[in-house]
Amino acid sequence: MIKRCIEEDRRAQELFYKQCYAKLIGTAFRYANGKEQAVHFFNLGFVNILLNLKQYNQDNPFDFWSKRVLINTILNEIKKEKREQERVRS
């Protein structure tokens, strides 16, 4: 399925989204203030997962790699939101 996603097969990407959602939404909830933010974090992370699939080393478990991409995406988004809030306060 990863190969088909890299080739931009939309059906494979949709199925891949559903599989990743089931596995990763709990991680997004740990960092979010609610469902809407968790889904937002997951969607950003999923886009980064898709964009970086070519870099995935199949010698490593996909679940760990995708979770790391998601967490890094979430942390970057939190930092970005914090900077924007501080800018507005200034």
Side-chain angles (χ1 to χ4, degrees):
M1 179 175 313
I2 290 175
K3 182 181 177 194
R4 289 176 43 210
C5 287
I6 291 171
E7 294 169 352
E8 298 183 12
D9 179 330
R10 295 291 180 208
R11 289 184 186 207
Q13 290 175 343
E14 182 180 354
L15 181 59
F16 189 56
Y17 177 91
K18 291 176 183 176
Q19 289 177 346
C20 286
Y21 187 91
K23 292 180 182 179
L24 296 173
I25 193 63
T27 301
F29 265 106
R30 284 190 212 113
Y31 293 89
N33 293 325
K35 182 179 180 179
E36 185 176 316
Q37 189 178 39
V39 171
H40 173 70
F41 284 162
F42 172 78
N43 286 334
L44 291 173
F46 182 74
V47 168
N48 281 332
I49 289 168
L50 277 181
L51 292 173
N52 292 294
L53 273 177
K54 291 178 185 175
Q55 298 174 6
Y56 167 61
N57 178 353
Q58 293 187 3
D59 294 336
N60 298 316
F62 179 77
D63 289 347
F64 295 126
W65 179 82
S66 60
K67 189 174 184 178
R68 176 57 34 211
V69 172
L70 176 64
I71 291 171
N72 286 340
T73 301
I74 291 169
L75 294 176
N76 287 337
E77 185 67 12
I78 290 171
K79 288 177 191 176
K80 179 179 145 189
E81 289 174 1
K82 190 174 184 177
R83 281 192 307 267
E84 288 174 7
Q85 288 175 355
E86 289 175 359
R87 194 186 81 230
V88 170
R89 289 182 197 154
S90 298

